[in-house]
mmCIF file with all atom_site columns, all heavy atoms in Angstrom:
data_model
loop_
_atom_site.group_PDB
_atom_site.id
_atom_site.type_symbol
_atom_site.label_atom_id
_atom_site.label_alt_id
_atom_site.label_comp_id
_atom_site.label_asym_id
_atom_site.label_entity_id
_atom_site.label_seq_id
_atom_site.pdbx_PDB_ins_code
_atom_site.Cartn_x
_atom_site.Cartn_y
_atom_site.Cartn_z
_atom_site.occupancy
_atom_site.B_iso_or_equiv
_atom_site.pdbx_formal_charge
_atom_site.auth_seq_id
_atom_site.auth_comp_id
_atom_site.auth_asym_id
_atom_site.auth_atom_id
_atom_site.pdbx_PDB_model_num
ATOM 1   N N   . MET A 1 1   ? 0.777   -1.178  0.018   1.00 0.00 ? 1   MET A N   1
ATOM 2   C CA  . MET A 1 1   ? 0.047   0.109   0.053   1.00 0.00 ? 1   MET A CA  1
ATOM 3   C C   . MET A 1 1   ? 0.792   1.331   0.022   1.00 0.00 ? 1   MET A C   1
ATOM 4   O O   . MET A 1 1   ? 1.813   1.460   0.790   1.00 0.00 ? 1   MET A O   1
ATOM 5   C CB  . MET A 1 1   ? -0.925  -0.047  1.257   1.00 0.00 ? 1   MET A CB  1
ATOM 6   C CG  . MET A 1 1   ? -1.950  1.137   1.216   1.00 0.00 ? 1   MET A CG  1
ATOM 7   S SD  . MET A 1 1   ? -2.555  1.288   2.977   1.00 0.00 ? 1   MET A SD  1
ATOM 8   C CE  . MET A 1 1   ? -2.659  3.085   2.855   1.00 0.00 ? 1   MET A CE  1
ATOM 9   N N   . GLU A 1 26  ? -7.704  0.956   10.375  1.00 0.00 ? 26  GLU A N   1
ATOM 10  C CA  . GLU A 1 26  ? -8.432  2.158   10.732  1.00 0.00 ? 26  GLU A CA  1
ATOM 11  C C   . GLU A 1 26  ? -7.799  3.427   10.312  1.00 0.00 ? 26  GLU A C   1
ATOM 12  O O   . GLU A 1 26  ? -8.461  4.312   9.599   1.00 0.00 ? 26  GLU A O   1
ATOM 13  C CB  . GLU A 1 26  ? -8.671  2.447   12.258  1.00 0.00 ? 26  GLU A CB  1
ATOM 14  C CG  . GLU A 1 26  ? -9.566  1.149   12.899  1.00 0.00 ? 26  GLU A CG  1
ATOM 15  C CD  . GLU A 1 26  ? -9.697  1.367   14.415  1.00 0.00 ? 26  GLU A CD  1
ATOM 16  O OE1 . GLU A 1 26  ? -8.882  2.357   14.958  1.00 0.00 ? 26  GLU A OE1 1
ATOM 17  O OE2 . GLU A 1 26  ? -10.393 0.580   15.071  1.00 0.00 ? 26  GLU A OE2 1
ATOM 18  N N   . ALA A 1 38  ? 0.134   -5.833  2.226   1.00 0.00 ? 38  ALA A N   1
ATOM 19  C CA  . ALA A 1 38  ? 0.944   -4.572  2.101   1.00 0.00 ? 38  ALA A CA  1
ATOM 20  C C   . ALA A 1 38  ? 2.131   -4.635  3.108   1.00 0.00 ? 38  ALA A C   1
ATOM 21  O O   . ALA A 1 38  ? 3.338   -4.406  2.666   1.00 0.00 ? 38  ALA A O   1
ATOM 22  C CB  . ALA A 1 38  ? 0.206   -3.291  2.528   1.00 0.00 ? 38  ALA A CB  1
ATOM 23  N N   . ALA A 1 40  ? 3.519   -7.600  4.241   1.00 0.00 ? 40  ALA A N   1
ATOM 24  C CA  . ALA A 1 40  ? 4.444   -8.605  3.568   1.00 0.00 ? 40  ALA A CA  1
ATOM 25  C C   . ALA A 1 40  ? 5.219   -7.975  2.505   1.00 0.00 ? 40  ALA A C   1
ATOM 26  O O   . ALA A 1 40  ? 6.450   -8.275  2.435   1.00 0.00 ? 40  ALA A O   1
ATOM 27  C CB  . ALA A 1 40  ? 3.513   -9.722  3.154   1.00 0.00 ? 40  ALA A CB  1
ATOM 28  N N   . GLY A 1 46  ? 12.362  -4.628  2.895   1.00 0.00 ? 46  GLY A N   1
ATOM 29  C CA  . GLY A 1 46  ? 13.336  -4.183  4.027   1.00 0.00 ? 46  GLY A CA  1
ATOM 30  C C   . GLY A 1 46  ? 12.832  -2.976  4.724   1.00 0.00 ? 46  GLY A C   1
ATOM 31  O O   . GLY A 1 46  ? 13.670  -2.575  5.565   1.00 0.00 ? 46  GLY A O   1
ATOM 32  N N   . GLY A 1 52  ? 8.039   -12.883 14.844  1.00 0.00 ? 52  GLY A N   1
ATOM 33  C CA  . GLY A 1 52  ? 7.286   -13.947 15.726  1.00 0.00 ? 52  GLY A CA  1
ATOM 34  C C   . GLY A 1 52  ? 6.105   -13.457 16.351  1.00 0.00 ? 52  GLY A C   1
ATOM 35  O O   . GLY A 1 52  ? 5.227   -12.822 15.801  1.00 0.00 ? 52  GLY A O   1
ATOM 36  N N   . VAL A 1 61  ? 16.778  1.483   12.280  1.00 0.00 ? 61  VAL A N   1
ATOM 37  C CA  . VAL A 1 61  ? 17.937  1.983   11.476  1.00 0.00 ? 61  VAL A CA  1
ATOM 38  C C   . VAL A 1 61  ? 19.128  1.804   12.256  1.00 0.00 ? 61  VAL A C   1
ATOM 39  O O   . VAL A 1 61  ? 19.256  1.666   13.526  1.00 0.00 ? 61  VAL A O   1
ATOM 40  C CB  . VAL A 1 61  ? 17.658  3.537   11.273  1.00 0.00 ? 61  VAL A CB  1
ATOM 41  C CG1 . VAL A 1 61  ? 16.517  3.788   10.393  1.00 0.00 ? 61  VAL A CG1 1
ATOM 42  C CG2 . VAL A 1 61  ? 17.628  4.235   12.595  1.00 0.00 ? 61  VAL A CG2 1
ATOM 43  N N   . ARG A 1 63  ? 23.748  1.801   11.624  1.00 0.00 ? 63  ARG A N   1
ATOM 44  C CA  . ARG A 1 63  ? 24.900  1.971   10.754  1.00 0.00 ? 63  ARG A CA  1
ATOM 45  C C   . ARG A 1 63  ? 25.223  0.800   9.918   1.00 0.00 ? 63  ARG A C   1
ATOM 46  O O   . ARG A 1 63  ? 25.568  1.008   8.613   1.00 0.00 ? 63  ARG A O   1
ATOM 47  C CB  . ARG A 1 63  ? 26.240  2.198   11.632  1.00 0.00 ? 63  ARG A CB  1
ATOM 48  C CG  . ARG A 1 63  ? 26.246  3.491   12.474  1.00 0.00 ? 63  ARG A CG  1
ATOM 49  C CD  . ARG A 1 63  ? 27.300  3.548   13.312  1.00 0.00 ? 63  ARG A CD  1
ATOM 50  N NE  . ARG A 1 63  ? 28.698  3.698   12.696  1.00 0.00 ? 63  ARG A NE  1
ATOM 51  C CZ  . ARG A 1 63  ? 29.297  4.846   12.274  1.00 0.00 ? 63  ARG A CZ  1
ATOM 52  N NH1 . ARG A 1 63  ? 28.669  5.898   12.581  1.00 0.00 ? 63  ARG A NH1 1
ATOM 53  N NH2 . ARG A 1 63  ? 30.465  4.786   11.665  1.00 0.00 ? 63  ARG A NH2 1
ATOM 54  N N   . THR A 1 70  ? 24.131  0.954   1.191   1.00 0.00 ? 70  THR A N   1
ATOM 55  C CA  . THR A 1 70  ? 25.028  1.780   0.300   1.00 0.00 ? 70  THR A CA  1
ATOM 56  C C   . THR A 1 70  ? 26.028  0.948   -0.506  1.00 0.00 ? 70  THR A C   1
ATOM 57  O O   . THR A 1 70  ? 25.959  1.168   -1.846  1.00 0.00 ? 70  THR A O   1
ATOM 58  C CB  . THR A 1 70  ? 25.870  2.740   1.200   1.00 0.00 ? 70  THR A CB  1
ATOM 59  O OG1 . THR A 1 70  ? 24.974  3.591   1.947   1.00 0.00 ? 70  THR A OG1 1
ATOM 60  C CG2 . THR A 1 70  ? 26.726  3.526   0.430   1.00 0.00 ? 70  THR A CG2 1
ATOM 61  N N   . ILE A 1 96  ? 16.798  11.922  -19.518 1.00 0.00 ? 96  ILE A N   1
ATOM 62  C CA  . ILE A 1 96  ? 17.720  12.269  -18.544 1.00 0.00 ? 96  ILE A CA  1
ATOM 63  C C   . ILE A 1 96  ? 17.837  13.814  -18.388 1.00 0.00 ? 96  ILE A C   1
ATOM 64  O O   . ILE A 1 96  ? 17.872  14.408  -17.473 1.00 0.00 ? 96  ILE A O   1
ATOM 65  C CB  . ILE A 1 96  ? 19.107  11.653  -18.919 1.00 0.00 ? 96  ILE A CB  1
ATOM 66  C CG1 . ILE A 1 96  ? 19.054  10.175  -18.728 1.00 0.00 ? 96  ILE A CG1 1
ATOM 67  C CG2 . ILE A 1 96  ? 20.250  12.268  -17.880 1.00 0.00 ? 96  ILE A CG2 1
ATOM 68  C CD1 . ILE A 1 96  ? 20.317  9.426   -19.148 1.00 0.00 ? 96  ILE A CD1 1
ATOM 69  N N   . PHE A 1 103 ? 14.749  18.717  -11.781 1.00 0.00 ? 103 PHE A N   1
ATOM 70  C CA  . PHE A 1 103 ? 15.466  18.560  -10.508 1.00 0.00 ? 103 PHE A CA  1
ATOM 71  C C   . PHE A 1 103 ? 16.352  19.919  -10.267 1.00 0.00 ? 103 PHE A C   1
ATOM 72  O O   . PHE A 1 103 ? 16.216  20.335  -9.104  1.00 0.00 ? 103 PHE A O   1
ATOM 73  C CB  . PHE A 1 103 ? 16.610  17.469  -10.536 1.00 0.00 ? 103 PHE A CB  1
ATOM 74  C CG  . PHE A 1 103 ? 17.449  17.310  -9.363  1.00 0.00 ? 103 PHE A CG  1
ATOM 75  C CD1 . PHE A 1 103 ? 17.035  16.706  -8.259  1.00 0.00 ? 103 PHE A CD1 1
ATOM 76  C CD2 . PHE A 1 103 ? 18.865  17.702  -9.442  1.00 0.00 ? 103 PHE A CD2 1
ATOM 77  C CE1 . PHE A 1 103 ? 17.850  16.540  -7.200  1.00 0.00 ? 103 PHE A CE1 1
ATOM 78  C CE2 . PHE A 1 103 ? 19.566  17.542  -8.386  1.00 0.00 ? 103 PHE A CE2 1
ATOM 79  C CZ  . PHE A 1 103 ? 19.048  17.020  -7.074  1.00 0.00 ? 103 PHE A CZ  1
ATOM 80  N N   . GLY A 1 110 ? 16.745  27.224  -3.651  1.00 0.00 ? 110 GLY A N   1
ATOM 81  C CA  . GLY A 1 110 ? 17.408  26.835  -2.438  1.00 0.00 ? 110 GLY A CA  1
ATOM 82  C C   . GLY A 1 110 ? 17.041  25.424  -2.016  1.00 0.00 ? 110 GLY A C   1
ATOM 83  O O   . GLY A 1 110 ? 16.162  24.663  -2.757  1.00 0.00 ? 110 GLY A O   1
ATOM 84  N N   . PRO A 1 112 ? 15.309  22.384  0.111   1.00 0.00 ? 112 PRO A N   1
ATOM 85  C CA  . PRO A 1 112 ? 13.978  22.302  0.621   1.00 0.00 ? 112 PRO A CA  1
ATOM 86  C C   . PRO A 1 112 ? 13.904  22.459  2.052   1.00 0.00 ? 112 PRO A C   1
ATOM 87  O O   . PRO A 1 112 ? 14.589  22.136  2.804   1.00 0.00 ? 112 PRO A O   1
ATOM 88  C CB  . PRO A 1 112 ? 13.561  20.820  0.179   1.00 0.00 ? 112 PRO A CB  1
ATOM 89  C CG  . PRO A 1 112 ? 14.882  20.077  0.228   1.00 0.00 ? 112 PRO A CG  1
ATOM 90  C CD  . PRO A 1 112 ? 15.891  20.990  -0.359  1.00 0.00 ? 112 PRO A CD  1
ATOM 91  N N   . ALA A 1 131 ? 15.778  7.862   -14.448 1.00 0.00 ? 131 ALA A N   1
ATOM 92  C CA  . ALA A 1 131 ? 16.020  8.145   -15.782 1.00 0.00 ? 131 ALA A CA  1
ATOM 93  C C   . ALA A 1 131 ? 17.461  7.609   -16.193 1.00 0.00 ? 131 ALA A C   1
ATOM 94  O O   . ALA A 1 131 ? 17.656  7.189   -17.289 1.00 0.00 ? 131 ALA A O   1
ATOM 95  C CB  . ALA A 1 131 ? 15.901  9.595   -16.018 1.00 0.00 ? 131 ALA A CB  1
ATOM 96  N N   . GLU A 1 139 ? 14.658  -5.585  -16.394 1.00 0.00 ? 139 GLU A N   1
ATOM 97  C CA  . GLU A 1 139 ? 13.704  -4.891  -15.549 1.00 0.00 ? 139 GLU A CA  1
ATOM 98  C C   . GLU A 1 139 ? 13.854  -5.284  -14.086 1.00 0.00 ? 139 GLU A C   1
ATOM 99  O O   . GLU A 1 139 ? 13.645  -4.435  -13.194 1.00 0.00 ? 139 GLU A O   1
ATOM 100 C CB  . GLU A 1 139 ? 12.213  -5.325  -15.986 1.00 0.00 ? 139 GLU A CB  1
ATOM 101 C CG  . GLU A 1 139 ? 11.173  -4.677  -15.173 1.00 0.00 ? 139 GLU A CG  1
ATOM 102 C CD  . GLU A 1 139 ? 9.673   -5.003  -15.551 1.00 0.00 ? 139 GLU A CD  1
ATOM 103 O OE1 . GLU A 1 139 ? 9.643   -5.800  -16.611 1.00 0.00 ? 139 GLU A OE1 1
ATOM 104 O OE2 . GLU A 1 139 ? 8.790   -4.565  -15.015 1.00 0.00 ? 139 GLU A OE2 1
ATOM 105 N N   . CYS A 1 145 ? 17.218  -1.784  -8.059  1.00 0.00 ? 145 CYS A N   1
ATOM 106 C CA  . CYS A 1 145 ? 17.813  -0.347  -7.925  1.00 0.00 ? 145 CYS A CA  1
ATOM 107 C C   . CYS A 1 145 ? 16.740  0.493   -7.208  1.00 0.00 ? 145 CYS A C   1
ATOM 108 O O   . CYS A 1 145 ? 17.114  1.248   -6.290  1.00 0.00 ? 145 CYS A O   1
ATOM 109 C CB  . CYS A 1 145 ? 18.256  0.245   -9.206  1.00 0.00 ? 145 CYS A CB  1
ATOM 110 S SG  . CYS A 1 145 ? 19.746  -0.516  -9.914  1.00 0.00 ? 145 CYS A SG  1
ATOM 111 N N   . LEU A 1 148 ? 16.365  -0.444  -3.464  1.00 0.00 ? 148 LEU A N   1
ATOM 112 C CA  . LEU A 1 148 ? 17.486  0.138   -2.624  1.00 0.00 ? 148 LEU A CA  1
ATOM 113 C C   . LEU A 1 148 ? 17.344  1.551   -2.450  1.00 0.00 ? 148 LEU A C   1
ATOM 114 O O   . LEU A 1 148 ? 17.721  2.091   -1.270  1.00 0.00 ? 148 LEU A O   1
ATOM 115 C CB  . LEU A 1 148 ? 18.775  -0.350  -3.235  1.00 0.00 ? 148 LEU A CB  1
ATOM 116 C CG  . LEU A 1 148 ? 19.054  -1.941  -3.254  1.00 0.00 ? 148 LEU A CG  1
ATOM 117 C CD1 . LEU A 1 148 ? 20.282  -2.140  -4.090  1.00 0.00 ? 148 LEU A CD1 1
ATOM 118 C CD2 . LEU A 1 148 ? 19.300  -2.450  -1.841  1.00 0.00 ? 148 LEU A CD2 1
ATOM 119 N N   . ARG A 1 161 ? 21.110  16.414  7.363   1.00 0.00 ? 161 ARG A N   1
ATOM 120 C CA  . ARG A 1 161 ? 21.344  17.831  7.697   1.00 0.00 ? 161 ARG A CA  1
ATOM 121 C C   . ARG A 1 161 ? 22.168  18.378  6.472   1.00 0.00 ? 161 ARG A C   1
ATOM 122 O O   . ARG A 1 161 ? 23.011  17.630  5.880   1.00 0.00 ? 161 ARG A O   1
ATOM 123 C CB  . ARG A 1 161 ? 22.099  17.990  8.933   1.00 0.00 ? 161 ARG A CB  1
ATOM 124 C CG  . ARG A 1 161 ? 23.437  17.247  8.946   1.00 0.00 ? 161 ARG A CG  1
ATOM 125 C CD  . ARG A 1 161 ? 24.120  17.338  10.418  1.00 0.00 ? 161 ARG A CD  1
ATOM 126 N NE  . ARG A 1 161 ? 25.413  16.492  10.526  1.00 0.00 ? 161 ARG A NE  1
ATOM 127 C CZ  . ARG A 1 161 ? 26.423  16.988  10.892  1.00 0.00 ? 161 ARG A CZ  1
ATOM 128 N NH1 . ARG A 1 161 ? 26.566  18.202  11.225  1.00 0.00 ? 161 ARG A NH1 1
ATOM 129 N NH2 . ARG A 1 161 ? 27.422  16.191  10.974  1.00 0.00 ? 161 ARG A NH2 1
ATOM 130 N N   . ASP A 1 184 ? 30.749  7.341   -21.668 1.00 0.00 ? 184 ASP A N   1
ATOM 131 C CA  . ASP A 1 184 ? 31.878  6.719   -21.054 1.00 0.00 ? 184 ASP A CA  1
ATOM 132 C C   . ASP A 1 184 ? 31.501  5.877   -19.993 1.00 0.00 ? 184 ASP A C   1
ATOM 133 O O   . ASP A 1 184 ? 31.316  6.345   -18.876 1.00 0.00 ? 184 ASP A O   1
ATOM 134 C CB  . ASP A 1 184 ? 33.092  7.708   -20.748 1.00 0.00 ? 184 ASP A CB  1
ATOM 135 C CG  . ASP A 1 184 ? 34.320  7.119   -20.174 1.00 0.00 ? 184 ASP A CG  1
ATOM 136 O OD1 . ASP A 1 184 ? 34.345  5.866   -19.810 1.00 0.00 ? 184 ASP A OD1 1
ATOM 137 O OD2 . ASP A 1 184 ? 35.288  7.702   -20.175 1.00 0.00 ? 184 ASP A OD2 1
ATOM 138 N N   . ALA A 1 185 ? 31.185  4.655   -20.315 1.00 0.00 ? 185 ALA A N   1
ATOM 139 C CA  . ALA A 1 185 ? 30.587  3.712   -19.403 1.00 0.00 ? 185 ALA A CA  1
ATOM 140 C C   . ALA A 1 185 ? 31.417  3.463   -18.011 1.00 0.00 ? 185 ALA A C   1
ATOM 141 O O   . ALA A 1 185 ? 30.821  3.403   -16.883 1.00 0.00 ? 185 ALA A O   1
ATOM 142 C CB  . ALA A 1 185 ? 30.102  2.334   -19.895 1.00 0.00 ? 185 ALA A CB  1
ATOM 143 N N   . ALA A 1 186 ? 32.707  3.314   -18.158 1.00 0.00 ? 186 ALA A N   1
ATOM 144 C CA  . ALA A 1 186 ? 33.558  3.071   -17.020 1.00 0.00 ? 186 ALA A CA  1
ATOM 145 C C   . ALA A 1 186 ? 33.554  4.283   -16.109 1.00 0.00 ? 186 ALA A C   1
ATOM 146 O O   . ALA A 1 186 ? 33.428  4.216   -14.872 1.00 0.00 ? 186 ALA A O   1
ATOM 147 C CB  . ALA A 1 186 ? 34.917  2.731   -17.432 1.00 0.00 ? 186 ALA A CB  1
ATOM 148 N N   . ALA A 1 200 ? 25.941  8.491   2.412   1.00 0.00 ? 200 ALA A N   1
ATOM 149 C CA  . ALA A 1 200 ? 26.278  7.715   3.606   1.00 0.00 ? 200 ALA A CA  1
ATOM 150 C C   . ALA A 1 200 ? 27.375  8.293   4.507   1.00 0.00 ? 200 ALA A C   1
ATOM 151 O O   . ALA A 1 200 ? 27.282  8.283   5.669   1.00 0.00 ? 200 ALA A O   1
ATOM 152 C CB  . ALA A 1 200 ? 26.865  6.223   3.146   1.00 0.00 ? 200 ALA A CB  1
ATOM 153 N N   . PRO A 1 210 ? 25.576  2.082   17.615  1.00 0.00 ? 210 PRO A N   1
ATOM 154 C CA  . PRO A 1 210 ? 24.745  1.623   18.755  1.00 0.00 ? 210 PRO A CA  1
ATOM 155 C C   . PRO A 1 210 ? 25.426  0.662   19.608  1.00 0.00 ? 210 PRO A C   1
ATOM 156 O O   . PRO A 1 210 ? 26.278  -0.023  19.199  1.00 0.00 ? 210 PRO A O   1
ATOM 157 C CB  . PRO A 1 210 ? 23.522  1.062   18.144  1.00 0.00 ? 210 PRO A CB  1
ATOM 158 C CG  . PRO A 1 210 ? 24.124  0.529   16.638  1.00 0.00 ? 210 PRO A CG  1
ATOM 159 C CD  . PRO A 1 210 ? 24.977  1.560   16.419  1.00 0.00 ? 210 PRO A CD  1
#
Side-chain angles (χ1 to χ4, degrees):
M1 189 198 140
E26 292 176 357
V61 296
R63 293 172 65 92
T70 301
I96 292 174
F103 177 75
E139 183 178 359
C145 288
L148 289 172
R161 56 186 175 125
D184 186 336

